Coordinates of all heavy atoms in Angstrom, one line a residue:
Q89 N -132.9 -143.7 -0.1 CA -131.6 -143.5 -0.8 C -131.0 -142.2 -0.4 O -129.7 -142.0 -0.2 CB -131.8 -143.7 -2.3 CG -132.1 -145.1 -2.8 CD -132.2 -145.3 -4.2 OE1 -131.9 -144.4 -5.0 NE2 -132.9 -146.3 -4.6
L90 N -131.8 -141.2 -0.3 CA -131.4 -139.9 0.1 C -130.8 -139.9 1.4 O -129.7 -139.3 1.7 CB -132.4 -138.9 -0.1 CG -132.2 -137.4 0.4 CD1 -131.0 -136.8 -0.4 CD2 -133.3 -136.6 0.3
V91 N -131.4 -140.5 2.4 CA -130.9 -140.6 3.8 C -129.6 -141.3 3.7 O -128.5 -140.8 4.3 CB -131.9 -141.4 4.5 CG1 -131.3 -141.7 6.0 CG2 -133.1 -140.6 4.8
L92 N -129.4 -142.4 3.0 CA -128.1 -143.1 2.9 C -127.1 -142.3 2.4 O -126.0 -142.3 2.9 CB -128.3 -144.4 2.0 CG -127.1 -145.3 2.0 CD1 -126.4 -145.7 3.4 CD2 -127.3 -146.5 1.1
S93 N -127.5 -141.6 1.3 CA -126.3 -140.6 0.7 C -125.9 -139.6 1.7 O -124.7 -139.2 1.7 CB -126.8 -140.1 -0.6 OG -127.9 -139.3 -0.5
Q94 N -126.9 -139.1 2.4 CA -126.5 -138.0 3.4 C -125.6 -138.6 4.6 O -124.7 -138.0 5.0 CB -127.8 -137.4 4.0 CG -128.5 -136.5 3.2 CD -129.9 -136.0 3.7 OE1 -130.8 -136.7 4.0 NE2 -129.8 -134.7 4.0
V95 N -125.9 -139.8 4.9 CA -125.1 -140.5 6.0 C -123.6 -140.7 5.5 O -122.7 -140.5 6.2 CB -125.8 -141.8 6.5 CG1 -124.8 -142.6 7.4 CG2 -127.1 -141.6 7.2
L96 N -123.6 -141.1 4.3 CA -122.3 -141.4 3.6 C -121.5 -140.1 3.4 O -120.2 -140.2 3.2 CB -122.4 -142.2 2.4 CG -123.0 -143.6 2.6 CD1 -123.2 -144.3 1.3 CD2 -122.0 -144.4 3.5
E97 N -122.1 -138.9 3.5 CA -121.4 -137.7 3.3 C -120.6 -137.2 4.6 O -119.8 -136.3 4.5 CB -122.4 -136.6 2.8 CG -122.9 -136.7 1.4 CD -124.0 -135.7 1.1 OE1 -124.2 -134.8 1.9 OE2 -124.4 -135.8 -0.1
V98 N -121.1 -137.7 5.7 CA -120.5 -137.3 7.0 C -119.6 -138.5 7.5 O -119.6 -139.5 7.0 CB -121.5 -137.0 8.0 CG1 -122.3 -135.8 7.6 CG2 -122.4 -138.2 8.4
S99 N -118.7 -138.1 8.5 CA -117.9 -139.2 9.1 C -118.8 -140.2 9.9 O -119.5 -139.7 10.7 CB -116.9 -138.5 9.9 OG -116.0 -139.4 10.5
L100 N -118.5 -141.4 9.6 CA -119.3 -142.4 10.3 C -119.0 -142.4 11.9 O -118.0 -142.2 12.2 CB -119.1 -143.8 9.8 CG -119.8 -144.2 8.5 CD1 -119.5 -145.7 8.2 CD2 -121.3 -143.9 8.5
S101 N -120.1 -142.7 12.7 CA -120.0 -142.7 14.0 C -120.9 -143.9 14.4 O -121.8 -144.4 13.8 CB -120.4 -141.5 14.7 OG -121.8 -141.3 14.6
E102 N -120.7 -144.3 15.6 CA -121.6 -145.4 16.2 C -123.0 -145.0 16.1 O -124.0 -145.9 16.0 CB -121.2 -145.7 17.7 CG -121.6 -147.0 18.2 CD -120.9 -148.2 17.6 OE1 -119.7 -148.3 17.3 OE2 -121.7 -149.3 17.5
K103 N -123.3 -143.7 16.3 CA -124.6 -143.1 16.3 C -125.4 -143.5 15.0 O -126.6 -143.7 14.9 CB -124.6 -141.7 16.7 CG -125.9 -140.9 16.3 CD -125.6 -139.5 16.6 CE -126.0 -138.5 15.5 NZ -125.8 -137.1 15.9
L104 N -124.6 -143.4 13.9 CA -125.2 -143.5 12.6 C -125.4 -144.9 12.0 O -126.1 -145.2 11.1 CB -124.3 -142.8 11.5 CG -124.1 -141.2 11.7 CD1 -123.3 -140.5 10.8 CD2 -125.6 -140.6 11.8
L105 N -124.6 -145.9 12.7 CA -124.7 -147.3 12.1 C -126.2 -147.8 12.2 O -126.6 -148.5 11.2 CB -123.8 -148.1 13.0 CG -122.2 -147.9 12.8 CD1 -121.4 -148.8 13.6 CD2 -121.9 -147.9 11.4
P106 N -127.0 -147.5 13.2 CA -128.4 -148.1 13.1 C -129.1 -147.5 12.1 O -130.1 -148.1 11.5 CB -128.9 -147.6 14.6 CG -127.7 -147.5 15.5 CD -126.7 -147.0 14.5
V107 N -128.9 -146.3 11.7 CA -129.6 -145.5 10.6 C -129.3 -146.3 9.2 O -130.2 -146.6 8.6 CB -129.2 -144.1 10.4 CG1 -130.0 -143.5 9.3 CG2 -129.6 -143.3 11.8
M108 N -128.0 -146.6 9.1 CA -127.6 -147.4 7.9 C -128.2 -148.8 7.9 O -128.6 -149.3 6.9 CB -126.1 -147.5 7.9 CG -125.4 -146.1 7.6 SD -123.7 -146.3 7.5 CE -123.3 -147.0 6.0
Q109 N -128.2 -149.4 9.2 CA -128.8 -150.8 9.3 C -130.5 -150.6 8.8 O -130.9 -151.5 8.1 CB -128.8 -151.1 10.7 CG -129.2 -152.6 10.9 CD -128.1 -153.6 10.5 OE1 -126.9 -153.4 10.6 NE2 -128.5 -154.7 9.7
A110 N -131.1 -149.5 9.3 CA -132.5 -149.4 9.0 C -132.7 -149.3 7.4 O -133.6 -149.6 6.9 CB -133.1 -148.1 9.7
V111 N -131.7 -148.4 6.8 CA -131.8 -148.3 5.3 C -131.6 -149.7 4.6 O -132.5 -149.9 3.8 CB -130.7 -147.3 4.9 CG1 -130.6 -147.3 3.4 CG2 -131.0 -145.9 5.3
L112 N -130.7 -150.4 5.1 CA -130.4 -151.7 4.5 C -131.7 -152.6 4.8 O -132.0 -153.5 3.9 CB -129.2 -152.3 5.0 CG -127.9 -151.6 4.6 CD1 -126.7 -152.3 5.2 CD2 -127.8 -151.6 3.0
G113 N -132.3 -152.5 5.9 CA -133.4 -153.3 6.2 C -134.6 -153.2 5.2 O -135.4 -154.0 5.2
R114 N -134.7 -152.0 4.5 CA -135.7 -151.8 3.6 C -135.5 -152.6 2.3 O -136.4 -152.7 1.6 CB -135.7 -150.3 3.3 CG -136.3 -149.3 4.3 CD -137.8 -149.4 4.4 NE -138.5 -149.0 3.2 CZ -138.9 -147.9 2.8 NH1 -138.8 -146.9 3.8 NH2 -139.5 -147.6 1.6
Q115 N -134.2 -153.1 2.2 CA -133.9 -154.0 1.1 C -134.3 -153.4 -0.2 O -134.8 -154.1 -1.1 CB -134.7 -155.3 1.3 CG -134.2 -156.1 2.5 CD -134.7 -157.5 2.5 OE1 -135.5 -157.9 1.7 NE2 -134.3 -158.3 3.5
E116 N -133.9 -152.1 -0.4 CA -134.2 -151.4 -1.6 C -132.9 -151.7 -2.5 O -131.9 -151.9 -2.1 CB -134.2 -149.8 -1.4 CG -135.3 -149.4 -0.5 CD -136.7 -149.6 -0.9 OE1 -136.9 -149.8 -2.2 OE2 -137.7 -149.5 -0.2
V117 N -133.3 -151.6 -3.8 CA -132.2 -151.7 -4.8 C -131.5 -150.4 -4.8 O -132.1 -149.4 -5.1 CB -132.7 -152.1 -6.2 CG1 -131.6 -152.1 -7.2 CG2 -133.5 -153.4 -6.2
L118 N -130.1 -150.4 -4.6 CA -129.4 -149.1 -4.6 C -128.8 -148.9 -5.9 O -128.4 -149.9 -6.6 CB -128.3 -149.3 -3.5 CG -128.7 -149.4 -2.1 CD1 -127.5 -149.5 -1.2 CD2 -129.6 -148.3 -1.7
P119 N -128.7 -147.7 -6.3 CA -128.1 -147.4 -7.6 C -126.5 -147.8 -7.5 O -126.0 -147.7 -6.4 CB -128.2 -145.9 -7.8 CG -129.2 -145.4 -6.7 CD -129.4 -146.5 -5.8

């Protein structure tokens, strides 16, 4: 969740989309 919040603090780029995909792949319940 910390990684996702850090990603969302910066301007999205093509480079960051796989990181977000990896976060979602964990299927964690997000606050």
Side-chain angles (χ1 to χ4, degrees):
Q89 292 177 18
L90 175 60
V91 169
L92 180 58
S93 66
Q94 287 178 295
V95 169
L96 294 175
E97 287 172 8
V98 298
S99 181
L100 280 188
S101 66
E102 198 68 40
K103 163 180 129 173
L104 299 180
L105 296 179
V107 178
M108 293 177 75
Q109 190 78 43
V111 168
L112 294 178
R114 288 284 301 265
Q115 299 187 352
E116 303 291 345
V117 176
L118 299 177

